[in-house]
Amino acid sequence: MRNETKLDRRQKKTRHAIYAAFEELMAQMHYRQVTVAQVIDRADIGRSTFYAHFETKDELLEDMCREMFDHIFEGVNEYCVTHAELRTVDLRGKLAHLLYHLRDSHSGVCGKLVREGEPHFTAYFERQLGVLFEKEMPSPPGQAPETLATGVAVAAFSRTVAWWFAHDAAHSPEDVARWFTNLMWR
């Protein structure tokens, strides 16, 4: 049992070093410019160590996304340090919650990836948004198919996030979520 605990701690420490190096590099340059060799150098690990954790840079990014979005899209709120008072019981609150995380987590890299339209990140982000909107958004008006309404909401919110970050996230997450929901579902 003791060896498993050491191994688990060592693995966690290594993954943390890889994440931190990756985030630092992405804060400085575009995702496409970041190489596995740079991550390895910055994390001060061996090549085989990196590949023991991740097969590719894309897999690393997806793992980072999963870690962040699992928390957000499950609506877990009570453990958030930056915005613990935020109510996430309705769609507007959940969207504000998401915006806080995009801005405040991972050194703001996630917001940068949405703004830049990085395909791996955006695809993962939009898949998760689709699940959220399917469960939480109001019924579409008239005879519009729900899949169409969900697709429109996902695309519109993704563009809203890109707009917000292009304007340096100058408005509060609550304001942006309120504006979005008012525009979509008056």
Side-chain angles (χ1 to χ4, degrees), residues 14 59 68 96 101 133 152:
T14 299
E59 186 180 303
M68 182 180 84
H101 277 276
F133 284 127
V152 168

Side-chain angles (χ1 to χ4, degrees), residues 110-140:
C110 296
K112 179 182 175 188
L113 292 168
V114 171
R115 186 184 74 233
E116 293 173 352
E118 196 292 313
H120 295 92
F121 182 86
T122 303
Y124 192 88
F125 177 62
E126 289 182 352
R127 270 194 311 273
Q128 295 299 317
L129 276 177
V131 172
L132 174 66
F133 284 127
E134 283 173 7
K135 289 192 304 191
E136 301 286 337
M137 75 178 193
S139 296

Side-chain angles (χ1 to χ4, degrees), residues 115-185:
R115 186 184 74 233
E116 293 173 352
E118 196 292 313
H120 295 92
F121 182 86
T122 303
Y124 192 88
F125 177 62
E126 289 182 352
R127 270 194 311 273
Q128 295 299 317
L129 276 177
V131 172
L132 174 66
F133 284 127
E134 283 173 7
K135 289 192 304 191
E136 301 286 337
M137 75 178 193
S139 296
Q143 304 256 334
E146 280 194 36
T147 54
L148 173 62
T150 299
V152 168
V154 166
F157 191 72
S158 189
R159 291 302 310 141
T160 300
V161 172
W163 169 86
W164 187 51
F165 278 100
H167 291 87
D168 300 320
H171 304 284
S172 75
E174 292 88 350
D175 284 345
V176 174
R178 185 180 73 251
W179 296 334
F180 175 78
T181 56
N182 287 345
L183 282 169
M184 294 294 294
W185 302 288

Side-chain angles (χ1 to χ4, degrees), residues 6 23 29 45 68 72 75 102-103 105 121 130 137 156 174:
K6 281 185 182 181
E23 288 174 22
M29 61 185 80
I45 60 171
M68 182 180 84
I72 296 165
L102 289 171
R103 184 190 71 191
S105 299
F121 182 86
M137 75 178 193
E174 292 88 350

Side-chain angles (χ1 to χ4, degrees), residues 2 10 14 18-19 29 32 35 38 40 45 51 54 63 98 100 104 110 125 130 138-139 148 153 162 175:
R2 183 172 255 210
R10 193 173 18 201
T14 299
I18 292 169
Y19 281 154
M29 61 185 80
R32 287 187 303 262
T35 66
Q38 291 169 321
I40 289 167
I45 60 171
Y51 287 112
F54 305 101
D63 196 64
L98 172 60
Y100 270 109
D104 300 339
C110 296
F125 177 62
S139 296
L148 173 62
D175 284 345

Side-chain angles (χ1 to χ4, degrees), residues 51-138:
Y51 287 112
H53 291 269
F54 305 101
E55 289 184 26
T56 64
K57 175 180 78 167
D58 295 340
E59 186 180 303
L60 169 58
L61 179 62
E62 189 169 318
D63 196 64
M64 241 170 84
C65 294
R66 189 177 311 110
E67 172 199 312
M68 182 180 84
F69 292 143
D70 282 355
H71 163 77
I72 296 165
F73 287 108
E74 289 173 12
V76 177
N77 178 28
E78 58 270 16
Y79 302 111
C80 293
V81 175
T82 58
H83 52 278
E85 73 287 349
L86 178 65
R87 291 180 22 145
T88 61
V89 295
D90 61 3
L91 178 59
R92 183 179 292 171
K94 289 177 182 178
L95 294 175
H97 186 164
L98 172 60
L99 292 167
Y100 270 109
H101 277 276
L102 289 171
R103 184 190 71 191
D104 300 339
S105 299
H106 301 292
S107 308
V109 167
C110 296
K112 179 182 175 188
L113 292 168
V114 171
R115 186 184 74 233
E116 293 173 352
E118 196 292 313
H120 295 92
F121 182 86
T122 303
Y124 192 88
F125 177 62
E126 289 182 352
R127 270 194 311 273
Q128 295 299 317
L129 276 177
V131 172
L132 174 66
F133 284 127
E134 283 173 7
K135 289 192 304 191
E136 301 286 337
M137 75 178 193

